[in-house]
Amino acid sequence: MKIVFFIFDGLTALDAVGPYEVLSRMPGAEVRFAGVTAGTIVTGDQKLRLATDVAIADVPSCDLLVVPGGFGTRALERNQQVLDWVRAIDKTTSITASVCTGSFVLAAAGLLEGRRATSHWAMRSRLADYGAIPVGERVVRDGKYATAAGVSAGIDFGLELVLELCGKDIAAGIQLGIEYDPAPPLDAGHPDRAPAPVRDALLARLLARDKAAREAHE
Amino acid sequence: MKIVFFIFDGLTALDAVGPYEVLSRMPGAEVRFAGVTAGTIVTGDQKLRLATDVAIADVPSCDLLVVPGGFGTRALERNQQVLDWVRAIDKTTSITASVCTGSFVLAAAGLLEGRRATSHWAMRSRLADYGAIPVGERVVRDGKYATAAGVSAGIDFGLELVLELCGKDIAAGIQLGIEYDPAPPLDAGHPDRAPAPVRDALLARLLARDKAAREAHE
């Protein structure tokens, strides 16, 4: 199975690395990291840099495309080279997927029109601007399109996909291999269960950053 | 807070990227990715390459050191340059930490003697060879030493540390920011709860790979 992660300046590294650690362990998985150019990419969060293996122009097809999120997606929503490539490679995939705000890249390419889809909880509603139907679930599947919620949801997305494609034993083995037996010290990972002042302050900060990132590319 | 992730050939990317996405969001966090040389690093799992910011020789001190795991740690257990650096920088830290088999690097440097520590469930018992006390918990703290279990446990480690250092509101905000509300489709992430044949087959495979990796560096 040929799996392509599209990586770009301003991605959130965990959006890609979570599902990568799961999906790359599938029997027969061949993973590539494709970027606009083959070179080193700076993420938007802090200082972590991921290197691309190959330029998107040299990747005409794959079985599974995964587009991670990050504030860098706002530029991609208006990047015709990237959107053209996403539309073209999507014609070759069995599954086209996103994590977090990666769904906005799929949406801007016109792939989610009329489809149920998700994104980071703070950003999700804007998917409707592209004709998608925002859904507040951790992983949403509509036809061949799979969209995961924010950042860490990519791990659960990966495991669900392995379960679907390879069955329970392989999925259990991969989950045990990465010892994914989560035990966060707080129950604050969902907007309905985080303290309301914390949630409201974070939402305001994220929306301001989202607005600034979008205005920078208008 | 100066945070240094030591990255190396053969690391498991999620061991580093999980806690990175948490810790880098702490107010005042300054994150660096240090390697033996300042260059591009190939991970051991598949094809993902992470780039180092700086060479370890140029990083004499930090507040928090995080050593991720991966099969590449077996070479590090015998790499005197790396072990000397780990010992030296440890003298400057408030917290010295590891994820997964990163604890073997701390142990080989002599830092865990007589201390409670953990690692990936399949490898943990070998910590006793270095005089550490293997403990089957997701995150183990002994004095200033924090060791996390396999791969994905680094996310929980990161959140526990933020809770300790910055309090509940900051920790909750970061958890909500990365939408860490885990929902794996199976309950198979702990060796006691994975199907026994899956666990036993994985254990045999991991121990064989561990043995081969160690013999390659004898």
Side-chain angles (χ1 to χ4, degrees), chain A residues 112 114-117 133 140-147:
Chain A
L112 298 182
R115 294 191 181 272
R116 302 168 71 249
I133 303 155
V140 174
R141 190 67 181 270
D142 188 331
K144 77 169 190 176
Y145 297 94
T147 51

Side-chain angles (χ1 to χ4, degrees), chain B residues 99-185:
Chain B
V99 178
C100 200
T101 50
S103 55
F104 284 94
V105 180
L106 305 187
L111 303 179
L112 300 182
E113 220 176 308
R115 293 192 181 272
R116 300 168 74 248
T118 198
S119 186
H120 191 284
W121 63 271
M123 305 293 160
R124 196 171 59 222
S125 61
R126 193 164 65 80
L127 282 172
D129 295 351
Y130 288 111
I133 304 156
V135 176
E137 294 168 10
R138 194 148 175 90
V139 181
V140 174
R141 189 71 182 268
D142 188 331
K144 77 170 192 177
Y145 298 95
T147 52
V151 193
S152 62
I155 301 172
D156 299 316
F157 149 71
L159 288 168
E160 288 200 12
L161 197 57
V162 174
L163 182 60
E164 176 186 321
L165 296 173
C166 306
K168 194 176 162 181
D169 281 359
I170 299 284
I174 291 175
Q175 184 177 353
L176 184 59
I178 65 165
E179 209 165 340
Y180 187 47
D181 184 34

Side-chain angles (χ1 to χ4, degrees), chain B residues 3-41:
Chain B
I3 304 172
V4 172
F5 286 85
F6 174 53
I7 60 175
F8 50 85
D9 201 30
L11 67 77
T12 300
L14 185 54
D15 291 18
V17 173
Y20 155 78
E21 287 290 1
V22 173
L23 297 169
S24 64
R25 285 167 163 78
M26 269 196 299
E30 289 171 36
V31 177
R32 302 180 88 180
F33 288 88
V36 170
T37 55
T40 293
I41 307 294

Side-chain angles (χ1 to χ4, degrees), chain B residues 178-202:
Chain B
I178 65 165
E179 209 165 340
Y180 187 47
D181 184 34
L186 301 172
D187 181 17
H190 188 284
D192 291 349
R193 278 176 277 113
V198 168
R199 181 195 61 217
D200 295 347
L202 178 62

Side-chain angles (χ1 to χ4, degrees), chain A residues 13-14 21 24 31 46-47 49-52 120-121 138 150 152 156 175-181 183 186 193, chain B residues 13-14 21 24 31 46 49-52 120-121 138 150 152 156 175-181 183 186 193:
Chain A
L14 185 54
E21 287 291 0
S24 64
V31 177
Q46 289 275 351
K47 294 192 68 172
R49 292 176 296 159
L50 307 179
T52 59
H120 191 285
W121 63 270
R138 194 147 174 89
S152 63
D156 298 316
Q175 185 178 354
L176 185 59
I178 64 165
E179 210 165 338
Y180 186 48
D181 184 34
L186 301 172
R193 278 176 278 112
Chain B
L14 185 54
E21 287 290 1
S24 64
V31 177
Q46 291 274 351
R49 293 176 295 158
L50 307 180
T52 59
H120 191 284
W121 63 271
R138 194 148 175 90
S152 62
D156 299 316
Q175 184 177 353
L176 184 59
I178 65 165
E179 209 165 340
Y180 187 47
D181 184 34
L186 301 172
R193 278 176 277 113

Side-chain angles (χ1 to χ4, degrees), chain A residues 66-150:
Chain A
V66 183
V67 180
F71 281 99
T73 57
R74 279 63 167 183
L76 300 179
E77 287 178 57
R78 290 161 178 271
N79 182 322
Q80 289 308 320
Q81 181 198 358
V82 167
L83 298 179
D84 286 347
W85 175 75
V86 168
R87 273 186 288 264
I89 199 167
D90 173 66
K91 290 194 167 66
T92 76
T93 63
S94 307
I95 296 166
T96 295
S98 64
V99 178
C100 198
T101 49
S103 56
F104 284 95
V105 180
L106 306 187
L111 303 179
L112 298 182
E113 218 176 309
R115 294 191 181 272
R116 302 168 71 249
T118 197
S119 187
H120 191 285
W121 63 270
M123 306 293 161
R124 196 170 59 221
S125 62
R126 192 165 64 81
L127 282 171
D129 294 351
Y130 288 111
I133 303 155
V135 176
E137 294 168 11
R138 194 147 174 89
V139 181
V140 174
R141 190 67 181 270
D142 188 331
K144 77 169 190 176
Y145 297 94
T147 51

